[in-house]
């Protein structure tokens, strides 16, 4: 028996759909608080030493956290080539804006304290704010556009044609999703600052965190209401062959009002996902007020898990619907790599993902504890 036939093609496709979700959630739960900390930096730190304390809460770990973004992009490239082709070409300018903003983060960390100048350091502080706020916003805008459908089509040779524009991405529902993303990650960043600092910095972060968690709750509810009443979902009207060829044009699909809620009607237990999103945001708000630092971070992660999972289970089996030609929409079962490719990638993932998780856990254990001003100013230190 050939090894890759140990797992059938349909199951492998489902496994990689789950793994893609795991990688996206992993990125939001780890590098997400880095982005939130950057967005909060000018507001929770009023003096130079306070801002250095805030920066050093993420300074030792942000590079490792960003690995999840690379893993997610790599997984999309290898497991879902058409998804990679459409998203990275159609969203090219948006991706460029994200990368330009992310580049500001390492440069800001390295150069901010190189000159003892208030103007110099203040400028880099706002650059770090851009590096946190802009990716948080654009990631959410991208999700909002995916839920509405992306204007692309395929010809008979499966060549991709994108008919949208950059400013077309900035529609009201997408911007609403962008604001939800910002609120969610700012909440996570505030929870991390409260966990890693003390005194005035922690108090300011707690206040902003409560506002952001409350906003996350409201925006998630509003996003769901708008999705039901004002945004058409997508549905497959032909038979679904989970082990069929990777050719999106072999199916029939249509746009339907409320279609993104069909999975919850068919499988009510899936309501766990939005319940975790709402419950996690509410619990985060409560934990901020109760000063439960560790529980606040865990509740924030729970909210992130619920919110991102809600998008995935609502759209399944779609991964990138097409508003220009619903038939060309990409799904879990018709846009993947080959059986052999998915199997080899799964074996590699099963070997290396536990190593990444173990190393990450070890790093956080070694670097655990509060960041205090005296540790920043101590001679011979390695703080930013």
């Amino acid at each position: 028996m050939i090894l890759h036939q140990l797992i059938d093609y349909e199951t492998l496709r489902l496994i990689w759909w789950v793994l893609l979700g795991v990688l996206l959630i992993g990125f939001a739960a780890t590098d997400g608080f880095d982005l939130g900390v950057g967005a909060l930096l000018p507001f929770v730190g009023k003096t130079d030493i306070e801002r250095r304390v805030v920066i050093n809460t993420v300074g030792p770990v942000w590079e490792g956290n960003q690995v999840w973004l690379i893993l997610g992009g790599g997984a999309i490239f290898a497991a879902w080539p058409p998804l990679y082709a459409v998203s990275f070409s159609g969203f090219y300018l948006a991706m460029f804006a994200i990368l330009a903003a992310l580049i500001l983060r390492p440069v800001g960390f390295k150069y901010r304290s190189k000159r003892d100048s208030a103007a110099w350091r203040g400028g880099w502080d706002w650059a770090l704010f851009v590096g946190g706020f802009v990716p948080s916003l654009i990631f959410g805008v991208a999700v909002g556009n995916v839920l509405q459908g992306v204007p692309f089509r395929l010809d008979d040779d499966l060549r991709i044609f994108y008919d949208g524009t950059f400013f077309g991405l900035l529609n009201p529902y997408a911007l609403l999703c962008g604001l939800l993303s910002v609120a969610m990650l700012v909440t996570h960043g505030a929870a991390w600052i409260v966990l890693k600092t003390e005194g005035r910095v922690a108090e300011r972060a707690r206040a902003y965190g409560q506002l952001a968690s409350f906003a996350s709750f409201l925006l998630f509810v509003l996003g769901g209401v708008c999705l039901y009443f004002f945004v058409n979902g997508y549905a497959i009207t032909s038979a679904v062959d989970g082990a069929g060829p990777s050719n999106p044009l072999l199916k029939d699909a249509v746009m339907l009002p409320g279609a993104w809620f069909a999975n919850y009607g068919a499988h009510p237990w899936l309501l766990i996902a939005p319940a975790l999103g709402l419950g996690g945001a509410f619990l985060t708000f409560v934990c901020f007020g109760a000063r439960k630092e560790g529980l606040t971070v865990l509740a924030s992660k729970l909210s992130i898990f619920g919110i991102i999972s809600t998008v995935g289970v609502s759209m399944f089996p779609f991964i990138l619907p097409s508003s220009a030609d619903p038939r060309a929409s990409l799904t879990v079962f018709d846009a993947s790599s080959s059986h052999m490719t998915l199997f080899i990638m799964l074996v590699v993932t099963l070997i290396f993902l536990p190593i990444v998780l173990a190393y990450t856990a070890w790093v956080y254990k070694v670097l655990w504890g509060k960041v205090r001003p005296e540790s920043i100013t101590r001679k011979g230190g390695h703080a930013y």
Side-chain angles (χ1 to χ4, degrees):
M1 179 182 292
I2 300 175
L3 281 178
H4 75 277
Q5 293 179 345
L6 292 173
I7 307 177
D8 64 79
Y9 200 9
E10 180 177 3
T11 301
L12 274 173
R13 284 167 160 168
L14 289 172
I15 288 173
W16 270 103
W17 175 74
V18 172
L19 284 176
L20 179 60
V22 168
L23 293 174
L24 293 177
I25 292 170
F27 168 69
T30 54
D31 202 43
F33 68 71
D34 299 334
L35 298 176
V37 168
L40 284 170
L41 175 62
F43 309 104
V44 299
K46 299 301 183 181
T47 66
D48 180 65
I49 190 63
E50 286 180 349
R51 291 183 177 182
R52 290 186 65 191
V53 166
V54 173
I55 290 171
N56 280 276
T57 62
V58 297
V61 296
W62 73 269
E63 289 177 292
N65 292 340
Q66 199 158 274
V67 168
W68 290 95
L69 177 61
I70 299 170
L71 290 175
I76 292 173
F77 173 78
W80 317 100
L83 173 61
Y84 182 91
V86 175
S87 58
F88 279 73
S89 58
F91 296 163
Y92 181 80
L93 290 178
M95 294 291 181
F96 181 84
I98 290 174
L99 291 176
L102 289 176
I103 288 171
L104 292 175
R105 185 163 54 175
V107 178
F109 286 158
K110 299 295 183 182
Y111 283 92
R112 180 192 180 277
S113 296
K114 295 299 183 182
R115 292 181 58 186
D116 188 12
S117 164
W120 171 269
R121 295 185 177 187
W124 284 115
D125 290 339
W126 284 104
L128 291 171
F129 164 80
V130 171
F133 178 83
V134 170
S136 301
L137 179 67
I138 295 180
F139 283 134
V141 168
V143 172
N145 279 282
V146 169
L147 285 168
Q148 295 174 92
V150 177
F152 73 93
R153 51 192 170 83
L154 304 175
D155 67 7
D156 292 338
D157 295 320
L158 299 184
R159 291 182 300 176
I160 298 167
F161 297 89
Y162 180 78
D163 299 325
T165 64
F166 173 76
F167 292 103
L169 300 176
L170 304 178
N171 56 78
Y173 185 75
L175 290 173
L176 173 63
C177 293
L179 292 177
L180 171 58
S181 176
V182 170
M184 179 180 73
L185 298 184
V186 165
T187 298
H188 202 35
W192 183 255
I193 295 172
V194 170
L195 179 69
K196 296 289 289 183
T197 66
E198 54 192 12
R200 294 179 178 177
V201 171
E203 290 303 316
R204 295 188 195 108
R206 181 175 288 108
Y208 282 113
Q210 283 194 296
L211 288 174
S213 58
F214 184 68
S216 295
F217 185 94
L218 291 181
L219 289 169
F220 190 42
V221 171
L222 180 59
V225 171
C226 291
L227 188 66
Y228 186 83
F229 288 105
F230 304 113
V231 178
N232 287 330
Y234 292 75
I236 297 175
T237 56
S238 58
V240 176
D241 184 1
S246 291
N247 184 346
L249 298 180
L250 297 180
K251 68 175 180 303
D252 293 318
V254 295
M255 299 174 65
L256 289 174
W260 287 149
F261 293 81
N263 286 338
Y264 300 109
H267 307 285
W269 64 272
L270 292 175
L271 289 169
I272 293 173
L276 290 176
L278 291 173
F282 178 75
L283 184 59
T284 305
F285 177 84
V286 172
C287 289
F288 271 123
R291 299 176 180 273
K292 302 292 186 181
E293 300 174 356
L295 286 176
T296 305
V297 175
L298 293 177
S300 179
K301 290 182 183 293
L302 185 66
S303 178
I304 288 171
F305 175 84
I307 291 172
I308 296 178
S309 297
T310 297
V311 176
V313 299
S314 297
M315 292 180 57
F316 184 84
F318 291 89
I319 51 177
L320 189 64
S322 168
S323 59
D325 179 10
R327 191 171 67 104
S329 299
L330 309 181
T331 75
V332 172
F333 302 117
D334 62 22
S336 73
S337 293
S338 68
H339 192 172
M340 176 67 79
T341 299
L342 295 182
F343 179 78
I344 293 174
M345 287 174 56
L346 179 61
V347 172
V348 173
T349 300
L350 291 176
I351 294 172
F352 288 101
L353 186 58
I355 296 174
V356 172
L357 292 173
Y359 175 75
T360 301
W362 177 78
V363 168
Y364 277 90
K365 181 178 182 299
V366 170
L367 298 173
W368 199 250
K370 299 281 188 180
V371 180
R372 296 182 172 88
E374 54 268 26
S375 64
I376 301 297
T377 57
R378 185 174 57 242
K379 290 183 178 180
H382 300 282
Y384 287 116

